[in-house]
Amino acid sequence: MKLSKMHLKTLREVPNEAEIASHILLLRTGMIRKLVSGVYGFMPLGWRSIRKIEDIIRQEMDAKGGQEIHMSAVQPAELWMESGRWFKYGPELWRLKDRNGRDFCLGPTHEEIFTDVVRTDVNSYRQLPLNLYQIQTKYRDEARPRFGLMRSREFIMKDSYSFDKTYEDLDNSYDDMYDAYEKIFTRCGLTFRPVEADTGAIGGSNSHEFTALSEVGESEIAYCQNCDMAATTEKALCVDAASEANVAELQLEEVHTPGTKTIEEVSNFLKMNQNQTIKALLFVTYDDNGDENGYVAAFVRGDRELNMIKLINALNIPEHAIEFADEAKMAQVTGCVGGFTGPVGLHDCKIVVDSELPGLKNLCAGACKVDYHLKNVNYGRDYKADIVADIKMLKAGDPCPVCGAPVKHARGIEVGQVFKLGTKYSESMGAYYKDENQKDQFIVMGCYGIGVTRTLAAIVEQHHDEHGIIWPMSVAPYHVIVTLVNPDDKVQAEVAEGIYQGLLREGVEVLLDDRNERPGVKFKDADLLGIPVRITVGRGAVNGQVEYKLRREADKEEISSDDAIARAIKMVNEEK
Ligand code: ATP
Ligand code: MG
């Protein structure tokens, strides 16, 4: 492709809202184009890289026996009602009506649709196992679309679904997909970690997220350097503090603690450690119609953080059915007092207590009375819970839930996730097969997603410098850029054209920068666009010499144009 002909508009300035490198660089290179918040289009270079990621995915899916199909993004509400997710998915689900008032949604994911295909087409155990996938546009009306392709409202996802006879077979399908994902993200040039994950709105039993390590990532992961424990902090189990069952229970005592609304204030005031206190968090919950249906008070040790995902799982409600409570309003019903709420004497609200609190003795908690706390609060004697569960966050330095060594934290971008669904969808939607004895059995399912557009952003996040993108060869929009310094110079133009044609003949994807621009502009653009190999044709052309430079290295070399062609071909074939 000749740059003089290409539809390319690079930008010097980008909108303020672009805060992270991938968003800034994808806009500056003109690879993506914003339409409205969270909705982007792709210009020629951007679309080429997207297709490369898709091709890598296709090759690895096909290698595991996956079969590509393509279903519509428009999905009838009836299927979502069958699975029970029409409500459960909440406001992220992009709902619409047709002219007759019939409900539809734009698919955020396709479990219902694929289950429907298979329950219709598959009858016999002979037709299983089956692995179907698609690469398709998804819609999620995200509360906070941001960071460009990272969290958008329209995005491209590869989603696969496996259908097996037994749970053992599902284990094999899951391992296959896990293996394929490791290959895909490696080929995309990403540094990543697979970690255990929560199953969220998709459901099922086991799950792993594939996290591309990055400081700007929204996923937080906890891992152990001593063993192979690695999990999202949402999912990571916590070790409870050692039980103090043998410690004598002291008498409950009310103390005046004026103005001490936070754990820090009250522990300073009473000269005790934060781990001798109880922290309260108050929530309101909503029913299927979005009406308030109750209050929840969650209690963790004062020095701990509440883990919202664990709380939601303990309550067995969807994420959008709970919110922080208006304390004044909640106080009228439950007797709680903002900043001074404790578990003793609370009424008319669900009490969820972290799993370590029952084992701890003589803690300090709010007295449900302004400016007062209670000392020597003990579980069982002074308060009880509706639910006792691990609802705390695993923090860096806490003991590893597997081996006890201090855990570390890292941030990352979730580029893919795999789930063992089991029979969640086949039971709710009636997807059976007939076994060898002609008996109906539920099909056992798994599902596996990759954010294709988010993967593109993650690659840029991990591969750039202050001058621009540094594409790994495998996903670069073009492999080589030939920079023609002076298009008016006949010799230079001929040499450049010769290299361009020589590379094209060998199947190398090559750009020829033949624009009438100053050399400085061309070099800047080449760096910005991040094409892995740059061959510069300038003054040396009269002697058959050109400059050979890799985007990822600082050094340049003067070599003959034949050598430059040979070297580029070799490198592209090794790395593409
Ligand atoms: P997140 O926790 O980031 O919201 P998710 O866990 O809800 O993502 P999945 O349902 O697992 O996402 O979807 C599969 C993949 O699709 C994710 O691993 C991610 O790469 C991608 N993805 C999900 N939501 C978005 C989005 N809003 N924009 C871009 N990619 C997304
Ligand atoms: Mg996910």
Side-chain angles (χ1 to χ4, degrees), residues 44-155:
L45 290 176
W47 192 239
R48 285 178 74 94
S49 285
I50 288 289
R51 276 174 24 215
K52 295 220 169 156
I53 297 171
E54 291 182 355
D55 284 345
I56 291 172
I57 293 174
R58 281 198 178 90
Q59 288 161 15
E60 299 299 339
M61 287 295 115
D62 293 351
K64 297 292 187 190
Q67 299 176 54
E68 186 171 0
I69 64 172
H70 195 85
M71 301 303 292
S72 173
V74 179
Q75 307 187 359
E78 290 81 2
L79 290 177
W80 285 72
M81 290 180 181
E82 278 191 56
S83 73
R85 289 206 296 182
W86 186 249
F87 165 71
K88 208 176 172 208
Y89 223 93
E92 243 182 52
L93 189 63
W94 210 314
R95 296 155 208 262
L96 61 154
K97 286 187 194 296
D98 72 6
R99 63 172 74 199
N100 300 315
R102 187 174 164 197
D103 285 315
F104 291 86
C105 66
L106 296 176
T109 176
H110 273 65
E111 283 74 18
E112 284 79 0
I113 308 302
F114 277 63
T115 306
D116 183 55
V117 167
V118 167
R119 74 175 169 185
T120 314
D121 297 352
V122 169
N123 318 307
S124 158
Y125 68 95
R126 290 195 192 84
Q127 293 165 282
L128 300 175
L130 194 57
N131 182 318
L132 300 175
Y133 75 94
Q134 65 177 350
I135 297 177
Q136 199 252 13
T137 308
K138 295 282 186 276
Y139 296 87
R140 294 184 185 181
D141 197 1
E142 297 274 356
R144 276 175 296 280
R146 59 182 198 148
F147 294 163
L149 300 184
M150 239 16 131
R151 181 166 302 284
S152 45
R153 299 197 292 169
E154 179 188 78
F155 58 97

Side-chain angles (χ1 to χ4, degrees), residues 140 209 414 416-417 419:
R140 294 184 185 181
E209 272 178 25
E414 179 200 324
Q417 186 165 9
F419 300 81

Side-chain angles (χ1 to χ4, degrees), residues 249-250 360-363 376-383:
E249 294 190 353
L250 304 177
L360 300 178
K361 298 289 178 192
N362 305 321
L363 300 173
N376 305 326
V377 172
N378 289 304
Y379 187 82
R381 185 189 71 178
D382 305 320
Y383 72 103

Side-chain angles (χ1 to χ4, degrees), residues 38 89 92 108-109 111 138-140 142 145-146 148-159 181 185 198-202 207 209-210 218-219 234 413-419 448-455:
Y89 223 93
E92 243 182 52
T109 176
E111 283 74 18
K138 295 282 186 276
Y139 296 87
R140 294 184 185 181
E142 297 274 356
R146 59 182 198 148
L149 300 184
M150 239 16 131
R151 181 166 302 284
S152 45
R153 299 197 292 169
E154 179 188 78
F155 58 97
I156 302 173
M157 195 203 285
K158 185 286 301 180
D159 45 329
Y181 276 35
F185 295 124
D198 185 67
T199 52
I202 307 281
S207 177
E209 272 178 25
F210 288 75
E218 292 182 292
S219 301
E234 290 175 347
I413 301 160
E414 179 200 324
V415 283
Q417 186 165 9
V418 292
F419 300 81
Y448 317 91
I450 291 181
V452 175
T453 39
R454 187 184 281 182
T455 295

